[in-house]
Amino acid sequence: AQTVTQSQPEMSVQEAETVTLSCTYDTSESDYYLFWYKQPPSRQMILVIRQEAYKQQNATENRFSVNFQKAAKSFSLKISDSQLGDAAMYFCAYRRLISNFGNEKLTFGTGTRLTIIP
Amino acid sequence: AAGVIQSPRHLIKEKRETATLKCYPIPRHDTVYWYQQGPGQDPQFLISFYEKMQSDKGSIPDRFSAQQFSDYHSELNMSSLELGDSALYFCASSLGGTGDDEQYFGPGTRLTVT
């Protein structure tokens, strides 16, 4: 079974600074997806960024970027120029890739609560 | 753009009662997933449907059942409710069959069992 581990229950960062959230996972699969989801106080699950395991290039989305180390099974999220609106719970998630049907479940880590200090 | 709709948004039930949660996927999405998120916990996968057939099953109690209907909406039926069933229940939908689909989450139904 796949497992996702987030070892930082809480993190804080000064506004406008950079912060990195850590995530490790365990799988025997070679093809899969990794995601970072943001859950603000509204509890809505918002996709921040995704990485396909077969791609060597790290994904980026504006101020959000990942450091994907496949051999180490590590998938960290870097948030640059942190803003007050970035305050939320961040979940790392894994999804197996199936070639015929894209109906695989997400397996989440336990989350990291990010606080932005004004 | 249309999003995933869940109803009701809030539900209060007493122990041993029954609850039905509904999920309306994004138009043309044929896959629905249900997740349960307890207080202070990460979302846990319950069950999924693809083209009206159950496609995967997670840690769903036997007291719970679900189905996907011909219009692709899904319902999660929960019977003999327990205090521990109090949680946020997410539905997500995607377009299956491509292997490259994205799961879009609804706003969730907050169930409180008293």
Side-chain angles (χ1 to χ4, degrees):
Chain A
Q2 296 80 20
T3 59
V4 178
T5 302
Q6 293 180 250
S7 59
Q8 306 156 314
E10 296 183 353
M11 292 281 286
S12 60
V13 63
Q14 205 80 29
E15 193 176 1
E17 296 296 309
T18 296
V19 64
T20 298
L21 309 184
S22 302
C23 172
T24 59
Y25 59 95
D26 188 26
T27 182
S28 58
E29 304 282 340
S30 58
D31 292 324
Y32 48 87
Y33 294 107
L34 295 166
F35 305 85
W36 279 98
Y37 280 89
K38 169 184 178 181
Q39 189 176 43
S42 67
R43 306 296 299 277
Q44 175 74 47
M45 293 293 286
I46 302 167
L47 177 63
V48 175
I49 198 165
R50 93 175 202 176
Q51 174 78 43
E52 291 87 347
Y54 60 86
K55 290 186 177 179
Q56 292 187 339
Q57 186 173 7
N58 289 323
T60 62
E61 286 288 341
N62 301 313
R63 299 183 294 107
F64 299 87
S65 61
V66 299
N67 184 3
F68 173 49
Q69 301 290 327
K70 191 173 184 179
K73 295 181 180 175
S74 170
F75 183 60
S76 61
L77 174 70
K78 185 172 81 171
I79 305 174
S80 303
D81 185 25
S82 297
Q83 300 175 1
L84 294 177
D86 295 332
M89 181 72 86
Y90 286 81
F91 290 100
C92 179
Y94 167 99
R95 193 188 88 207
R96 191 174 62 168
L97 171 66
I98 295 295
S99 60
N100 293 325
F101 301 108
N103 53 358
E104 285 295 307
K105 64 179 181 290
L106 290 165
T107 299
F108 290 89
T110 51
T112 297
R113 183 172 302 281
L114 178 65
T115 300
I116 311 297
I117 303 168
Chain B
V4 177
I5 297 172
Q6 291 187 246
S7 68
R9 294 292 308 277
H10 302 273
L11 191 58
I12 299 175
K13 291 286 185 178
E14 294 187 355
K15 283 195 313 182
R16 292 179 289 278
E17 285 192 324
T18 297
T20 298
L21 278 55
K22 298 184 178 182
C23 170
Y24 298 87
I26 291 172
R28 292 186 297 280
H29 280 192
D30 50 17
T31 306
V32 168
Y33 315 78
W34 287 96
Y35 295 88
Q36 177 193 56
Q37 186 178 27
Q41 298 181 0
D42 54 291
Q44 295 289 319
F45 171 74
L46 292 177
I47 195 167
S48 62
F49 294 87
Y50 170 65
E51 281 292 345
K52 292 154 280 185
M53 298 286 288
Q54 181 181 308
S55 55
D56 197 4
K57 192 174 181 181
S59 51
I60 183 169
D62 291 341
R63 300 177 289 108
F64 294 7
S65 65
Q67 59 180 319
Q68 186 179 32
F69 294 86
S70 58
D71 64 351
Y72 296 103
H73 93 273
S74 178
E75 295 184 4
L76 177 65
N77 297 292
M78 311 160 69
S79 63
S80 302
L81 287 169
E82 302 174 357
L83 295 178
D85 296 329
S86 295
L88 186 60
Y89 290 84
F90 285 108
C91 171
S93 75
S94 69
L95 184 61
T98 65
D100 193 30
D101 62 325
E102 204 60 75
Q103 291 185 28
Y104 294 85
F105 281 80
T109 293
R110 184 179 299 278
L111 172 66
T112 302
V113 182
T114 62

